[in-house]
């Protein structure tokens, strides 16, 4: 917008392994938007963020910022990519040391920051803080600020999840630089941008029974997008060249909607009221016109 704000509309499309899957997930965009809006408001006292208003269930309006091309991945537990690296014998991940003697889904002594590149095309790649600075992706001051914000956000996200009987296992945060201030908008700052603490950006375990499952080497019950990745892997797809996306039947698509809805309701303590899906473009346009006057 002319005043320096950005309108972000979340669709129902879903991606995995950096590939947009062929079928959308009904109400996924609404879940991501409303959960992000909820979390951005709940953590604004911890780190400044971009969000200003949410005039429609699929829309957030906020400050414009130039993306810092680094994803700040914070890990509280040995899961997902970290576990796969650990199992392969690695004890250093993106410059962070993982202790010996852990098993899958164990808690780290303290959260680790394991950054990755923010690729414009293709796959994000692991990167160390030293490499980030060497490549000029951000300044030392910006890196220090993003680390401070990321750890504070993870701590607050952990507290909010615990109130709802969940464990925030790992997540990623993205940050941007604002330009010169104008029209009352802030300038020259690092802001938290994009979505936070959603099933697309985060992994949650159920707290109830976590320790028992660890003690008996049972799989952890989790709420995240990981189950989509696991389904794809089981169907021989990991986004590699030559692989074809498996067919997503109606039953699987419904199950994904149900999982997204469950996470929203668990993490917020609120019921999701599905927004009308007939002519969504017109619905969004009306909401924006009303908000913008």
């Amino acid at each position: 917008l002319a005043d320096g704000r950005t309108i972000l509309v979340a669709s129902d499309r879903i991606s995995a392994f950096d590939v947009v899957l062929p079928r959308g997930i009904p109400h996924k965009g609404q879940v991501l938007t409303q959960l992000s809006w909820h979390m951005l408001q709940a953590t604004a006292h911890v780190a400044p963020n971009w969000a200003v208003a949410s005039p429609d269930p699929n829309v957030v309006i906020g400050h414009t910022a130039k993306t810092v091309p680094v994803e700040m991945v914070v890990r509280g537990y040995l899961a997902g990519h970290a576990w796969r690296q650990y199992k392969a014998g690695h004890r250093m991940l993106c410059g962070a040391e993982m202790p010996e003697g852990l098993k899958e889904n164990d808690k780290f002594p303290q959260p680790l920051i394991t950054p990755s590149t923010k690729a414009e095309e293709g796959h994000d790649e692991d990167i160390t803080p030293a490499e980030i600075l060497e490549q000029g992706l951000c300044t030392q001051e910006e890196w220090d600020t993003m680390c401070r914000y990321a750890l504070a956000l993870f701590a607050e996200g952990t507290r909010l999840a615990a109130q709802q009987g969940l464990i925030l296992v790992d997540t990623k945060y993205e940050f941007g630089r604002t330009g010169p201030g104008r029209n009352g908008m802030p300038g020259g700052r690092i802001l938290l941008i994009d979505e936070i603490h959603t099933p697309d950006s985060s992994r949650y375990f159920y707290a109830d029974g976590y320790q028992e499952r660890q003690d008996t080497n049972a799989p952890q019950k989790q709420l995240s997008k990981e189950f989509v990745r696991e389904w794809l892997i089981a169907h021989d797809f990991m986004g590699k060249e030559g692989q074809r996306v498996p067919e997503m039947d109606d039953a699987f698509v419904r199950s994904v909607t149900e999982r997204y809805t469950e996470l929203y309701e668990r993490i917020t303590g609120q019921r999701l009221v599905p927004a009308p899906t007939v002519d969504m473009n017109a619905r969004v346009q009306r909401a924006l016109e009303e908000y913008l006057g």
Side-chain angles (χ1 to χ4, degrees):
L1 298 175
D3 65 7
R5 288 177 295 174
T6 290
I7 298 170
L8 188 149
V9 182
S11 76
D12 287 342
R13 290 178 297 180
I14 186 170
S15 66
F17 301 113
D18 298 314
V19 174
V20 178
L21 303 183
R23 293 189 62 179
I25 305 300
H27 303 297
K28 173 181 177 286
Q30 177 185 356
V31 166
L32 296 189
T33 300
Q34 292 196 260
L35 181 49
S36 279
W37 175 254
H38 173 88
M39 282 302 201
L40 288 166
Q41 303 310 297
T43 61
H45 65 290
V46 170
N49 66 61
W50 74 289
V52 174
S54 181
D56 179 89
N58 287 62
V59 176
V60 174
I61 298 177
H63 306 300
T64 299
K66 182 175 178 58
T67 302
V68 179
V70 176
E71 291 194 350
M72 301 294 285
V73 181
V74 185
R75 302 180 185 277
Y77 293 74
L78 182 59
H81 176 59
W83 166 245
R84 290 188 284 270
Q85 292 294 304
Y86 195 91
K87 186 169 59 171
H90 303 291
R91 294 298 179 267
M92 295 294 293
L93 180 62
C94 307
E97 185 174 357
M98 299 183 288
E100 291 286 353
L102 299 181
K103 62 183 179 181
E104 185 177 11
N105 300 328
D106 274 352
K107 185 177 183 180
F108 289 124
Q110 60 275 324
L112 304 180
I113 294 179
T114 59
S116 71
T117 58
K118 178 63 178 172
E120 293 186 11
E121 292 183 8
H123 297 280
D124 298 336
E125 301 288 345
D126 289 348
I127 192 170
T128 66
E131 290 169 336
I132 289 170
L133 297 176
E134 288 169 5
Q135 295 177 26
L137 302 181
C138 68
T139 67
Q140 181 70 60
E141 182 180 4
E142 289 173 334
W143 171 254
D144 292 342
T145 297
M146 293 191 300
C147 285
R148 186 173 72 253
Y149 285 163
L151 291 174
L153 287 162
F154 190 78
E156 186 65 3
T158 296
R159 187 186 71 82
L160 293 169
Q163 290 179 345
Q164 301 298 329
L166 296 174
I167 294 171
L168 180 58
V169 177
D170 51 40
T171 191
K172 62 96 176 173
Y173 303 108
E174 297 184 38
F175 294 92
R177 309 175 181 96
T178 62
R182 57 175 177 165
N183 298 332
M185 308 295 273
R189 295 197 298 165
I190 290 289
L191 291 181
L192 173 67
I193 60 172
D194 200 38
E195 61 185 89
I196 67 163
H197 300 162
T198 72
D200 278 24
S201 66
S202 313
R203 187 193 325 266
Y204 292 90
F205 290 156
Y206 288 88
D208 185 31
Y210 163 79
Q211 193 57 54
E212 180 182 351
R213 287 187 287 272
Q214 282 301 98
D215 293 343
T216 58
N217 296 318
Q220 287 297 333
K221 187 179 179 185
Q222 65 173 283
L223 282 172
S224 74
K225 198 172 72 170
E226 185 67 16
F227 75 96
V228 176
R229 300 186 191 98
E230 290 173 350
W231 181 85
L232 290 168
I233 291 172
H235 288 77
D236 301 318
F237 181 80
M238 293 184 66
K240 297 179 180 178
E241 188 173 349
Q243 293 183 335
R244 295 184 60 182
V245 179
E247 183 179 351
M248 301 166 61
D249 60 24
D250 292 346
F252 178 71
V253 169
R254 280 196 303 272
S255 73
V256 179
T257 292
E258 290 167 0
R259 294 290 287 274
Y260 271 92
T261 300
E262 181 184 4
L263 177 57
Y264 174 86
E265 295 180 346
R266 280 299 303 263
I267 198 67
T268 65
Q270 303 168 2
R271 295 287 295 173
L272 181 73
V273 180
T277 56
V278 176
D279 203 355
M280 291 173 67
N281 287 344
R283 188 199 79 203
V284 168
Q285 187 69 24
R286 285 193 300 270
L288 286 171
E289 289 174 354
E290 182 177 344
Y291 173 76
L292 297 171

